[in-house]
Amino acid sequence: MAITKVSGDVIANDAIDHDQLSNRYTASSAVTSAAAITIDTSSADVFTWTAGHSSTLAFTNVKVGSTCTIQITGGGSSYTLALGNINGSAGTFNKISGTYDDTSSAKNLIEFKFISTSEAWYQISQIAS
């Protein structure tokens, strides 16, 4: 069906590209290792740090359909990772696959897909040897 009448503002084809997207889709952020870490999903898409503590992650500013990628480099001291709140309340985290590895210099890539403002599916991967 062809558009024959424009009744409001229209975005031209190819007018939106990577530069116009918000930080939620385009930015990365270095995080300081701590026992409790809050990830503001509106501030970046990729978060990185080297484990120096056993940590519990909480997520804020989650929207339905949000994604979040976390890369944690192992600290080599048997540090653990737990998942806590989403938007200030107990979150539901559905693990698809993978195991967190704190071996020194092991890189853990954890990908979250938020299916609601209180529930996420996630998977953990490491670099193949």
Side-chain angles (χ1 to χ4, degrees):
M1 176 177 179
I3 297 174
T4 58
K5 181 179 175 186
V6 176
S7 60
D9 292 336
V10 178
I11 298 172
N13 288 341
D14 301 324
I16 304 295
D17 64 18
H18 192 266
D19 295 338
Q20 281 81 37
L21 297 175
S22 72
N23 287 342
R24 166 183 308 275
Y25 306 106
T26 62
S28 65
S29 178
V31 175
T32 301
S33 183
I37 296 173
T38 299
I39 300 294
D40 178 353
T41 62
S42 69
S43 67
D45 178 48
V46 177
F47 298 86
T48 62
W49 71 90
T50 297
H53 302 79
S54 289
S55 299
T56 299
L57 294 182
F59 298 86
T60 61
N61 294 311
V62 169
K63 295 181 183 258
V64 174
S66 294
T67 59
C68 180
T69 304
I70 298 176
Q71 179 190 297
I72 307 170
T73 302
S77 294
S78 300
Y79 296 125
T80 60
L81 184 67
L83 303 173
N85 290 342
I86 301 174
N87 288 338
S89 298
T92 299
F93 294 92
N94 305 300
K95 184 174 164 182
I96 299 167
S97 64
T99 302
Y100 180 75
D101 183 358
D102 188 54
T103 302
S104 184
S105 299
K107 291 188 180 194
N108 298 272
L109 184 72
I110 308 172
E111 299 168 295
F112 293 89
K113 177 67 173 181
F114 293 93
I115 62 166
S116 75
T117 57
S118 63
E119 183 175 4
W121 288 66
Y122 73 101
Q123 63 186 354
I124 305 170
S125 304
Q126 288 90 26
I127 298 169
S129 52

